[in-house]
Amino acid sequence: MTTAIYPGSFDPVTVGHLDIIKRAAKLFDNVIVAVLVNMEKKPWFTIEERTGLLKKATQGIDNVEIAGFDGLLVDFAAQKGASAIVKGLRAVSDFEYEFQMALTNRKLDDTLETVFLTSSAENMFLSSSIVKQVGLLGGDISTFVPEEIKDEILLRIKQRSQMK
Ligand code: PNS
């Protein structure tokens, strides 16, 4: 049985992430979507909120599990018996950063392979930062995020805009 980890900040999950999750779920027996800490980012949502949003967005996909972990990705993967890390790749700009992370993770654990799935063409531009930026400036984010969690994201955008 092959288990893959799809790690990320997911702050919040977008339709681009969901597309990668669905496609990874067809390739692997089990996919664990792991909300991890990116020390470079200041998240809007707590790990618990992000896992909650992911659970709602992935309801009905049988072989997908959601988890949060505050530590090294390779340690989480070992704990779960995973053999692969799945990452979505949008454009050339993602490559250097993703390549560095893949090589770091392989250096830390050479039994783990990173598998890149290219983003769908319609999601090439999309990121969690774009959702937050467009939302904060009053733009329509309804096609950027899964319908089931749109209202929760809009509520956080409203709260953040009141902090400005
Ligand atoms: O969605 P992101 O922010 O690009 O995801 C990056 C993430 C969270 C997967 C990465 O920062 C990570 O793996 N964090 C856990 C800590 C870790 O293992 N760091 C070493 C690998 S670079």
Side-chain angles (χ1 to χ4, degrees):
M1 191 149 91
T2 53
T3 297
I5 310 280
Y6 177 35
S9 299
F10 305 107
D11 185 53
V13 58
T14 69
V15 294
H17 295 130
L18 192 58
D19 174 54
I20 299 289
I21 293 170
K22 286 178 180 165
R23 287 160 55 202
K26 290 184 189 154
L27 289 175
F28 298 97
D29 297 313
N30 275 321
V31 175
I32 304 172
V33 183
V35 179
L36 297 176
V37 176
N38 181 340
M39 293 172 95
E40 311 289 315
K41 294 182 179 172
K42 286 204 177 84
W44 277 22
F45 296 86
T46 64
I47 290 191
E48 291 71 27
E49 286 169 335
R50 286 179 266 161
T51 53
L53 291 171
L54 273 158
K55 279 180 189 162
K56 278 189 192 159
T58 57
Q59 247 169 27
I61 314 175
D62 289 343
N63 58 338
V64 170
E65 178 188 321
I66 311 298
F69 186 73
D70 185 0
L72 276 177
L73 170 56
V74 292
D75 291 339
F76 180 71
Q79 194 180 301
K80 293 289 181 180
S83 54
I85 296 168
V86 171
K87 293 299 300 258
L89 204 56
R90 279 168 306 198
V92 183
S93 53
D94 274 347
F95 186 77
E96 202 176 326
Y97 168 67
E98 293 297 345
F99 197 70
Q100 186 183 28
M101 278 199 287
L103 290 184
T104 305
N105 287 325
R106 190 131 61 89
K107 193 78 182 169
L108 294 172
D109 181 350
D110 64 7
T111 66
L112 260 180
E113 286 293 344
T114 299
V115 177
F116 289 106
L117 297 185
T118 51
S119 131
S120 298
E122 62 269 29
N123 297 324
M124 284 285 283
F125 70 96
L126 190 55
S127 67
S128 302
S129 308
I130 285 286
V131 170
K132 292 181 277 192
Q133 196 182 126
V134 171
L136 215 42
L137 297 171
D140 179 11
I141 60 147
S142 57
T143 59
F144 298 173
V145 296
E147 176 61 32
E148 304 83 349
I149 60 169
K150 191 186 72 188
D151 289 346
E152 280 170 75
I153 295 170
L154 285 172
L155 181 61
R156 182 55 45 90
I157 289 168
K158 196 172 161 201
Q159 291 164 343
R160 297 295 295 208
S161 67
Q162 282 163 355
M163 286 167 66
K164 278 199 296 184

